[in-house]
């Protein structure tokens, strides 16, 4: 199922397509790597099902969030990206998800091609082209969080 793109990024700010700027305060839905993948290679499908249910309730309300992806355990950036990609697959039909955050740990290396941040966004965008990305560091095409 491919969802329509609802948001776009202009000058590091979030806009609804065909509408105005969107205030991102209060839009974060914290999802930690350790919640998605408590043990390396084992995903918590019960957690992901509950997350999907919560996001589907937001769909019914017409509300939006971004997944505040928290890099909270040891492991490399590729493992983290794989876990968040798995999360994205489980919530793929949730219109309420505007996108995912790029954790500082990834953004610290910059956003150039091949960087951990760009590879993370590339992985998530493969099947989720509607997502926008949120970060506390300024980068082209990324919503700047304060």
């Amino acid at each position: 199922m491919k969802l329509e793109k609802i948001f776009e990024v202009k000058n590091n700010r979030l806009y609804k397509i065909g509408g105005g700027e969107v205030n991102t305060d209060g839009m974060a839905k914290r999802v930690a790597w350790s919640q998605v993948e408590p043990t390396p290679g084992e995903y918590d499908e019960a957690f992901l099902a509950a997350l999907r249910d919560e996001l589907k309730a937001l769909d019914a309300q017409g509300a939006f969030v971004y997944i505040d992806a928290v890099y909270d355990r040891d492991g490399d950036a590729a493992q983290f990206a794989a876990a968040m990609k798995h999360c994205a697959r489980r919530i793929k039909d949730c219109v309420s998800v505007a996108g995912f955050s790029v954790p500082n740990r990834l953004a610290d290396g910059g956003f150039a091609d091949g960087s951990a941040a760009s590879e993370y966004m590339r992985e998530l965008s493969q099947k989720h082209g509607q997502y926008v990305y949120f970060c506390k560091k300024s980068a082209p095409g990324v919503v700047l969080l304060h």
Side-chain angles (χ1 to χ4, degrees):
M1 165 185 246
K2 197 165 192 173
L3 296 178
E4 296 289 321
K5 192 170 183 113
I6 298 172
F7 299 101
E8 61 187 337
V9 179
K10 297 178 190 173
N11 299 320
N12 295 113
R13 296 190 175 181
L14 184 67
Y15 289 84
K16 199 160 191 181
I17 293 175
E21 186 174 352
V22 177
N23 181 354
T24 59
D25 293 342
M27 277 184 69
K29 171 61 184 158
R30 185 183 187 278
V31 175
W33 181 7
S34 62
Q35 292 173 296
V36 174
E37 187 182 19
T39 303
E42 292 183 24
Y43 297 116
D44 186 339
E45 297 300 341
F47 168 78
L48 293 169
L51 175 63
R52 183 184 176 279
D53 290 345
E54 185 179 340
L55 296 170
K56 291 305 276 180
L58 292 176
D59 285 359
Q61 297 171 21
F64 296 97
V65 297
Y66 67 88
I67 302 300
D68 184 13
V70 180
Y71 201 129
D72 69 338
R73 50 175 272 221
D74 290 335
D76 68 24
Q79 292 169 312
F80 173 78
M84 289 302 131
K85 185 176 181 179
H86 185 80
C87 177
R89 277 193 298 250
R90 292 297 180 257
I91 60 174
K92 68 182 176 201
D93 64 338
C94 297
V95 176
S96 59
V97 179
F100 274 68
S101 70
V102 179
N104 288 344
R105 187 164 172 177
L106 301 181
D108 284 345
F111 288 82
D113 285 344
S115 68
S118 71
E119 288 301 306
Y120 167 73
M121 293 187 304
R122 185 185 61 74
E123 281 292 316
L124 289 176
S125 294
Q126 285 178 353
K127 296 214 175 192
H128 309 283
Q130 79 277 13
Y131 285 166
V132 295
Y133 296 92
F134 301 78
C135 190
K136 291 184 178 176
K137 297 184 183 273
S138 183
V142 174
V143 177
L144 182 61
L145 299 171
H146 302 281

